[in-house]
Amino acid sequence: MRRTLSSSRRALILRGAALAACTAALSACDRVGGPSAQGFRGIDITGAEFGRGFALPDHTGSLRRLPDFGGQVVLLYFGFVQCPDVCPTALARAAEVKRMLGPDGRRLQVIFVTVDPERDTPQILAEYMAAFDPAFIALVPSAQQLAQVAADFRIYYRKVPTGSSYTMDHSSQSYLFDPQGRLRVMLRHAQSAEDYAHDVRLLLRSA
Amino acid sequence: MKPLFLACFAAALTCAAVAQAQVRIHDPWVRGTVPSQKATGAFMTIQAEQDVRLMSAASPVAGVTEVHEMVMDGDVMRMREVPGGVPIAKGASLQLKPGGYHIMLMSLKQPLAAGQTVPITLTFQGAGNKTFTQKVEAPVRALGAEAAAGHGAGAAHKH
């Protein structure tokens, strides 16, 4: 009796696994080669097994979780303030994207996660976000939280000494979550504000 | 005899000064900062009239100034001080711009607001390994006002 039960359970598990594999294969079709079925200009990562969410303090000290931004597209970017080049370029582009969306700009929430919590205090981050858009949010993880969230979003970061100071090597891609809080698109740093705005519009329209 | 000697000497100095105009600087700018920020980048185009090598930079607004190169390794941004300087061939231009080389201003002594001008002294090695300096006055651009220059920064602009 026990054996039958366990074998039928096994069959159920196998069927579940087969279904999951089919779904993965289907969503992989979107991803592999050429433009995605959705027409994103970034990489379609719908159904990704990583980056399901976050729970981190922001630059005002409030705990922020992904579901707090339901109904909005979230643009998530990892960087640091003492960064002369890619980070301000990425944030200026995000501000530009928001302007390009017009009234829908309110439905885009830009979130910056610092990879340099040692130097990026909440105060610096508040000043820094305000320089681009007062509505941008910075998340300030502890060193341990940073290691977790970076691993979860497949973000590489490393402290590199330079003279008497240090800089940070880090991944420069941006992620887009749809208004239901699902991770959908990865955009590269080399892509334009038009590309970013295009994908944000698609996600807002599909909501 | 003496005045003639002095005149020759002065002429020689002038010649030296003319000979030192080995580079021309175009469109210098510095990215503005927020009050607590301690580092930013300076950008410009350096046109070389002779074979030169950009060795170092200095600015009174920064405690430490280095010549850096930003490279994209896949999607990872890496930034390094350039060892041994950056060579610029006669007639060529070196662009210091987002997505490539920049002058890294660190340990800033004051915030840099749009409209200010930052003096920067570049040190080059020219003909015969002689070093010379070139002063630059770089206007500060607002931190958040630079979206257009960021377009296609990276692979798209490689030649």
Side-chain angles (χ1 to χ4, degrees):
Chain A
M1 190 59 188
R2 189 177 278 178
R3 182 172 282 183
T4 9
L5 190 73
S6 78
S7 73
S8 71
R9 189 179 289 171
R10 198 180 300 152
L12 206 67
I13 290 167
L14 277 173
R15 206 177 303 159
L19 194 71
C22 286
T23 316
L26 277 176
S27 62
C29 284
D30 283 356
R31 259 175 279 167
V32 181
S36 75
Q38 300 276 347
F40 293 124
R41 294 188 186 169
I43 299 170
D44 188 338
I45 51 170
T46 302
E49 297 286 322
F50 63 96
R52 295 278 171 84
F54 50 79
L56 294 168
D58 71 8
H59 60 270
T60 68
S62 310
L63 184 69
R64 299 291 195 151
R65 299 168 194 274
L66 186 59
D68 299 344
F69 307 102
Q72 288 180 294
V73 166
V74 168
L75 187 159
L76 191 71
Y77 179 80
F78 292 73
F80 69 114
V81 169
Q82 317 293 344
C83 169
D85 189 339
V86 295
C87 309
T89 301
L91 286 170
R93 176 177 52 216
E96 171 75 9
V97 169
K98 205 175 153 180
R99 277 190 294 272
M100 288 165 81
L101 294 172
D104 275 345
R106 272 171 294 175
R107 297 177 64 203
L108 172 66
Q109 178 61 58
V110 175
I111 300 182
F112 178 89
V113 185
T114 176
V115 295
D116 186 14
E118 199 178 310
R119 290 185 297 198
D120 287 354
T121 61
Q123 189 207 332
I124 298 178
L125 287 164
E127 292 169 3
Y128 198 67
M129 291 302 112
F132 295 96
D133 187 308
F136 285 7
I137 292 172
L139 298 180
V140 199
S142 66
Q144 199 185 351
Q145 286 171 324
L146 173 60
Q148 277 171 7
V149 72
D152 194 27
F153 281 93
R154 302 188 175 175
I155 294 292
Y156 170 89
Y157 68 100
R158 192 165 76 94
K159 198 168 157 173
V160 181
T162 173
S164 56
S165 183
Y166 68 87
T167 176
M168 302 295 300
D169 286 354
H170 64 93
S171 304
S172 60
Q173 70 266 36
S174 297
Y175 289 113
L176 296 181
F177 289 89
D178 69 18
Q180 287 79 40
R182 294 174 301 206
L183 184 57
R184 300 293 299 278
V185 182
M186 188 195 101
L187 285 139
R188 294 180 189 283
H189 183 65
Q191 290 184 275
S192 66
E194 286 82 4
D195 291 339
Y196 277 69
H198 174 269
D199 288 3
V200 172
R201 276 194 205 103
L202 274 185
L203 290 176
L204 285 174
R205 218 174 291 154
S206 69
Chain B
M1 198 61 197
K2 208 173 184 186
L4 183 65
F5 171 76
L6 276 179
C8 284
F9 186 66
L13 274 182
T14 313
C15 280
V18 168
Q20 278 186 3
Q22 296 181 60
V23 291
R24 288 176 202 281
I25 309 296
H26 303 286
D27 307 318
W29 65 280
V30 171
R31 197 189 301 274
T33 64
V34 294
S36 316
Q37 195 179 341
K38 292 290 170 218
T40 191
F43 306 89
M44 66 193 73
T45 299
I46 303 170
Q47 189 188 332
E49 306 288 325
Q50 307 288 335
D51 286 346
V52 296
R53 184 177 282 268
L54 172 62
M55 301 304 290
S56 62
S59 174
V61 303
V64 179
T65 306
E66 296 176 355
V67 180
H68 279 196
E69 185 180 17
M70 194 280 271
V71 289
M72 293 300 281
D73 178 2
D75 286 313
V76 175
M77 181 283 293
R78 298 183 196 276
M79 196 171 73
R80 295 288 180 274
E81 185 172 13
V82 184
V86 187
I88 317 171
K90 181 180 178 177
S93 287
L94 174 70
Q95 286 201 314
L96 278 64
K97 61 173 186 180
Y101 292 103
H102 58 261
I103 289 162
M104 184 79 184
L105 303 167
M106 292 178 288
S107 305
L108 290 175
K109 294 167 188 168
Q110 65 202 64
L112 304 177
Q116 276 180 262
T117 302
V118 173
I120 300 171
T121 303
L122 304 176
T123 300
F124 293 89
Q125 201 172 66
N129 286 342
K130 279 187 190 151
T131 57
F132 65 95
T133 57
Q134 173 75 45
K135 285 191 170 28
V136 181
E137 295 287 326
V140 177
R141 290 190 194 166
L143 174 59
E146 197 256 319
H151 288 184
H157 280 203
K158 276 181 190 156
H159 297 289

